[in-house]
């Protein structure tokens, strides 16, 4: 069932992920692991995850939607990024802004709950996201 106010990936993008997210989320809470860390493990996007000295966790995704050495099929990386965003509860309006950003818009920013995201989009470089959990 789709929650109101949340974006969704393609129906076949993450069907087997939800039980893992629930299970991993409960385990993460016991370990005090960040939701962003859990979603990276579950969704397996490329990119780098870093823990800040201030307690923040940041995931940087580059070239989403562009064929790379790591992802031969650009759809796989798009679905992985959508899985992460869905898992951290990106609001529908933010997901829509991300999906409709053009190169001329420059760097965009949004925040909700414990998360901030900034992104750029370019036809040749794809989508670049910086997601931070406070």
């Amino acid at each position: 069932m789709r929650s109101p106010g949340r974006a969704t990936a393609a129906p076949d993008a993450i069907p087997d992920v939800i039980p893992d997210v629930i299970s991993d989320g409960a385990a993460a809470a016991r370990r005090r692991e960040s939701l962003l860390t859990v979603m990276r493990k579950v969704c397996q996007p490329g990119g780098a995850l870093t823990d800040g000295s201030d307690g923040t966790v940041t995931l940087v995704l580059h070239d989403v939607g562009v064929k790379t050495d790591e992802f031969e099929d650009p759809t796989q990386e798009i679905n992985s990024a959508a899985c992460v965003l869905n898992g951290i509860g990106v609001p529908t309006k933010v997901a829509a802004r991300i999906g409709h950003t053009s190169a001329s818009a420059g760097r965009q920013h949004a925040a909700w709950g414990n998360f901030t995201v900034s992104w750029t989009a370019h036809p040749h470089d794809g989508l670049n996201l910086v997601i931070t959990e406070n």
Side-chain angles (χ1 to χ4, degrees):
M1 173 183 275
R2 183 176 157 191
S3 300
R6 307 244 177 179
T8 58
D12 61 342
I14 56 172
D16 298 326
V17 170
I18 300 304
D20 293 337
V21 170
I22 293 168
S23 166
D24 288 350
R30 289 191 296 276
R31 290 189 310 271
R32 300 200 186 282
E33 193 170 42
S34 77
L35 180 57
L36 190 55
T37 301
V38 171
M39 293 313 302
R40 183 168 190 265
K41 289 176 185 176
V42 170
C43 301
Q44 300 182 346
L49 185 75
T50 58
D51 292 316
S53 60
D54 58 355
T56 60
V57 177
T58 300
L59 176 62
V60 179
L61 303 177
H62 291 288
D63 307 324
V64 175
V66 177
K67 184 178 175 181
T68 64
D69 291 339
E70 190 172 0
F71 289 95
E72 283 290 317
D73 178 5
T75 305
Q76 181 183 357
E77 180 68 350
I78 292 168
N79 290 339
S80 293
C83 175
V84 169
L85 290 169
N86 289 331
I88 64 171
V90 66
T92 301
K93 65 182 180 179
V94 175
R97 286 180 54 206
I98 291 170
H100 290 95
T101 300
S102 65
S104 63
R107 180 160 296 278
Q108 301 292 300
H109 305 271
W112 70 96
N114 292 333
F115 295 94
T116 59
V117 62
S118 66
W119 69 93
T120 59
H122 190 276
H124 302 294
D125 299 331
L127 179 66
N128 295 292
L129 293 157
V130 178
I131 307 165
T132 301
E133 182 176 4
N134 297 312

